[in-house]
Amino acid sequence: MIGLAIGVAVVLYLVFVYNGLVKARQVAEEAWSGIDVQLKRRADLIPNLIETVKGYAAHEKSTLEEVVALRNRAQAVPEGDVAERAAVEGALSQALGRLFALAEAYPDLKANENFAELQRSLETIEGEIQMSRRYYNGAARDLNVKVESFPSNLIANVFRFAKAGYFEITNEADRAVPSVKF
């Protein structure tokens, strides 16, 4: 009777730990989805921004081309590659910063209502990306703790639960304030 009670307790514990791992994985995937939505919103605004800037800053072609190339590169990153997506998105953020810095040199562009609205929208999305990134990284941390902690790591290994990568800027140059020279 005691052996049966111990056996049931062990099975219930294993089910509890397994379900905790599943929940942590689902929260991390849902959090990544939140980042992905914000990144897609930003990517959708970039063509409108480029078209607005083109008329004012035709000789700033290299900056415009860089933003477009990075946007396309970000959209081409494989679905689950968090590290690569973070690196490309960091470079894109820096290029967008340089693009907005161009507005200082073009007062007509700065006063353009379409440009101002796009800039406000992108600033809002950038803030939402940061909040989503913090949420995702917290969910990834929680999953990683469960995957690595004893005794849940034993169950995680048996059922092939993997650690989640963090969405972070890995290139120190991407952390720097962009310098714009005219």
Side-chain angles (χ1 to χ4, degrees):
M1 186 70 166
I2 294 176
L4 179 63
I6 292 173
V8 168
V10 168
V11 168
L12 288 175
Y13 178 74
L14 293 174
V15 168
F16 176 75
V17 170
Y18 176 82
N19 286 342
L21 286 163
V22 169
K23 180 181 177 187
R25 181 177 57 197
Q26 291 302 316
V27 169
E29 288 174 3
E30 180 259 340
W32 175 251
S33 173
I35 290 176
D36 199 40
V37 165
Q38 298 308 325
L39 294 175
K40 285 179 183 170
R41 285 181 59 206
R42 178 173 74 173
D44 290 345
L45 284 177
I46 290 173
N48 295 333
L49 181 66
I50 295 297
E51 287 304 314
T52 302
V53 174
K54 268 185 185 176
Y56 290 92
H59 66 281
E60 301 293 347
K61 190 176 179 182
S62 65
T63 302
L64 298 174
E65 288 173 348
E66 180 185 13
V67 169
V68 170
L70 286 168
R71 174 189 179 262
N72 293 339
R73 208 170 119 205
Q75 290 181 320
V77 173
E79 186 73 28
D81 193 346
V82 175
E84 177 65 16
R85 185 76 182 264
V88 174
E89 292 294 344
L92 180 57
S93 291
Q94 191 174 12
L96 284 170
R98 286 192 298 276
L99 183 65
F100 284 126
L102 289 175
E104 298 300 319
Y106 299 95
D108 291 341
L109 173 60
K110 193 173 179 181
N112 180 290
E113 187 57 38
N114 284 344
F115 180 80
E117 180 60 34
L118 289 167
Q119 188 172 18
R120 281 190 296 273
S121 295
L122 276 171
E123 287 169 357
T124 299
I125 290 171
E126 289 294 330
E128 291 173 3
I129 289 170
Q130 293 308 313
M131 286 189 308
S132 296
R133 189 176 90 190
R134 284 191 297 273
Y135 177 67
Y136 169 77
N137 284 342
R141 178 203 59 230
D142 293 345
L143 173 62
N144 293 347
V145 166
K146 288 181 183 232
V147 168
E148 292 182 336
S149 297
F150 182 81
S152 61
N153 66 338
L154 301 173
I155 297 167
N157 288 335
V158 168
F159 291 101
R160 292 182 171 74
F161 281 86
K163 288 175 48 177
Y166 291 107
F167 189 87
E168 58 191 354
I169 296 173
T170 55
N171 183 353
E172 287 302 316
D174 292 341
R175 294 180 194 273
V177 175
S179 66
V180 179
K181 297 176 184 150
F182 297 102

